[in-house]
Amino acid sequence: MTDMILDIKNLTMAYENNAEDEAIIKSLNLSVKRKEFLCILGASGCGKTTLLRCIAGFEKYKGEILVNGELKADPGTDRIMVFQDFNQLFPWKTVEQNIQYPLKKQGIKDKSEQKKISEEALDKVKLSGYGHYYPYQLSGGMKQRVAIAKALALKPEIILMDEPFAALDAMTRNQLQKELLNISIQEDCTILFITHNIQEAIVLGTRIIVLDQGGQILIDEENSIKRPVSPASKGYGEFWERLHDALYKNAHS
């Protein structure tokens, strides 16, 4: 089995009313290693979310997206997306039912097996005992934990995360970053994580890319800073400056 789990070749995506020279993503090539935590930075409108939606199979595009060497043009449980929006859960279903719903769609019919999987997933995100709660009874951070648990329950090979912590307060965000970091180490999945926050990218990512308009890659760099990462870590300041300069000097040039 190759080290590369994801290969993107000449990816171009433009909406129907746009000419190809106005493509949101134009001729993007990117490969991602198995178990990599890839953080994606970039100004608004540079194609970050569109890239994840293409990988998830939610958009039509030109080019090729391969997972484990197989072409993937449609959605599948090997690639699960976690959104920023707190309303990604069904409000009329309990936490447990929200997690079990896609399991049923996947073909797991045995109720005891569904319950076992959902309880294990909730334990991983520190929400044991909350299975009978409804989304309206949860805080924003708890809802995002449930969304992550829902993704983990399907045992995907790739988790796609579109600014999942952006709407949270700083304390909750920091706590969820730590929990996600632990999950990424314990689980056998690869994570692609969009953020506008440079510090978040450096704390979480084993590799960081910065995208320019059209999905062009400005920086693609391994994160060699020893975990756990803090602003006091050796090399943090220099790395932060490089990422900041790429993001903001280019945006204002």
Side-chain angles (χ1 to χ4, degrees):
M1 188 180 286
T2 175
D3 277 348
M4 294 299 170
I5 189 170
L6 177 67
D7 287 293
I8 300 170
K9 301 179 180 180
N10 297 314
L11 178 67
T12 297
M13 193 279 173
Y15 289 110
E16 288 181 9
N17 58 340
N18 286 11
E20 191 158 312
D21 60 356
E22 298 175 339
I24 298 168
I25 297 175
K26 191 170 184 180
S27 301
L28 172 67
N29 291 285
L30 178 68
S31 292
V32 180
K33 293 178 183 175
R34 200 172 304 282
K35 299 185 182 182
E36 199 160 41
F37 197 129
L38 176 65
C39 283
I40 304 169
L41 290 163
S44 296
C46 72
K48 301 184 301 296
T49 296
T50 300
L51 171 59
L52 260 57
R53 289 182 61 84
C54 288
I55 297 168
F58 298 157
E59 303 287 354
K60 300 300 180 187
Y61 54 83
K62 294 181 180 178
E64 294 182 340
I65 294 177
L66 300 96
V67 177
N68 292 320
E70 294 183 10
L71 284 170
K72 300 285 183 176
D74 299 313
T77 54
D78 56 342
R79 291 151 289 131
I80 298 296
M81 196 153 175
V82 177
F83 301 91
Q84 178 181 337
D85 187 357
F86 292 160
N87 298 317
Q88 57 195 296
L89 304 174
F90 296 127
W92 60 88
K93 291 183 181 290
T94 64
V95 164
E96 185 178 67
Q97 290 167 343
N98 265 283
I99 295 171
Q100 291 174 3
Y101 178 76
L103 297 176
K104 295 175 186 176
K105 293 291 184 181
Q106 198 181 31
I108 300 173
K109 303 298 184 185
D110 184 80
K111 289 187 177 180
S112 62
E113 180 68 9
Q114 292 171 10
K115 188 168 183 64
K116 178 174 177 287
I117 293 171
S118 61
E119 286 178 350
E120 287 174 352
L122 285 172
D123 185 55
K124 288 174 183 175
V125 298
K126 303 189 185 310
L127 281 181
S128 293
Y130 283 88
H132 64 287
Y133 280 60
Y134 285 87
Y136 77 88
Q137 297 174 296
L138 306 178
S139 67
M142 292 167 80
K143 288 178 184 177
Q144 290 303 74
R145 283 188 173 95
V146 176
I148 294 169
K150 187 177 173 183
L152 292 172
L154 289 165
K155 295 185 168 41
E157 297 202 59
I158 301 173
I159 298 181
L160 307 163
M161 309 188 82
D162 188 2
E163 297 192 77
F165 307 150
L168 302 174
D169 64 85
M171 187 176 295
T172 303
R173 185 173 187 154
N174 288 341
Q175 183 60 39
L176 281 178
Q177 285 172 359
K178 291 175 185 175
E179 291 175 15
L180 182 60
L181 197 56
N182 288 333
I183 288 168
S184 74
I185 294 167
Q186 293 163 7
E187 299 296 310
D188 287 333
C189 59
T190 304
I191 298 176
L192 276 67
F193 186 102
I194 292 174
T195 179
H196 278 98
N197 187 304
I198 297 174
Q199 180 172 340
E200 183 168 67
I202 299 175
V203 166
L204 291 176
T206 59
R207 175 184 169 197
I208 300 171
I209 64 173
V210 178
L211 295 185
D212 192 11
Q213 297 303 312
Q216 303 306 300
I217 298 174
L218 295 173
I219 284 182
D220 184 345
E221 191 168 335
E222 299 286 334
N223 185 359
S224 59
I225 300 173
K226 186 178 179 181
R227 286 173 164 175
V229 178
S230 78
S233 298
K234 183 178 180 181
Y236 178 96
E238 296 86 344
F239 197 12
W240 191 96
E241 287 288 346
R242 285 198 301 280
L243 296 170
H244 180 271
D245 288 352
L247 272 170
Y248 294 104
K249 284 186 179 178
N250 198 70
H252 296 129
S253 60

